[in-house]
Amino acid sequence: THFSGPVISGPRAGERGALNTRGAWGLAVLAQTAVLTQNSTNNVSATFTVPKHSQILDFLVDNIVLWDSAATAAITIGTAAGGAQYFTSTSVKTGSRLAVTPTTPQLTAMADTGTNQSVVATVTVSGATTAGQTRVTMRYVQTTQWDTN
């Protein structure tokens, strides 16, 4: 089934026993997942597309295979490749699920994506890389402001 517009749950106004206020409604939490796989000495990106004015709740960043680049390998998540508007550069050479601790400016950016509809996860490598795979899951809410500029 395909929906267009935010998925809202709760009683409809006028239904028997329904509360006739929006306070009884809730918006569905949505998720998108991408897997970033090493590509020698090249940076790897995946782009998620979200509706305008979405609220990003969080990111789950799981190393499936640790990256073995000769120097560094780090993931960022932002509005373009290499951007860090949502997730600060964090090594993907160690650890399984990476700890995500957004800064205050990142939380502000995540609260409302505005008219931006691209969220890009990028692993930037330095040095030859023969292994590495990271799964990124973004959880977000399409708000009722999705069709405004």
Side-chain angles (χ1 to χ4, degrees), residues 24-123:
W25 296 357
L27 295 169
V29 174
L30 307 169
Q32 294 183 39
T33 299
V35 175
L36 303 168
T37 302
Q38 70 83 23
N39 186 7
S40 186
T41 57
N42 298 317
N43 299 336
V44 182
S45 295
T47 301
F48 302 102
T49 302
V50 297
K52 295 176 187 176
H53 298 286
S54 290
Q55 177 188 17
I56 298 172
L57 302 176
D58 64 5
F59 297 96
L60 303 175
V61 181
D62 300 323
N63 282 323
I64 300 165
V65 176
L66 293 178
W67 295 66
D68 69 349
S69 65
T72 61
I75 188 168
T76 58
I77 304 174
T79 58
Q85 289 87 351
Y86 307 126
F87 188 88
T88 303
S89 181
T90 304
S91 176
V92 289
K93 292 182 68 161
T94 60
S96 51
R97 177 160 286 171
L98 303 180
V100 179
T101 308
T103 64
T104 299
Q106 288 170 329
L107 288 171
T108 300
M110 291 166 63
D112 182 348
T113 61
T115 58
N116 176 60
Q117 294 184 271
S118 296
V119 177
V120 185
T122 304
V123 173

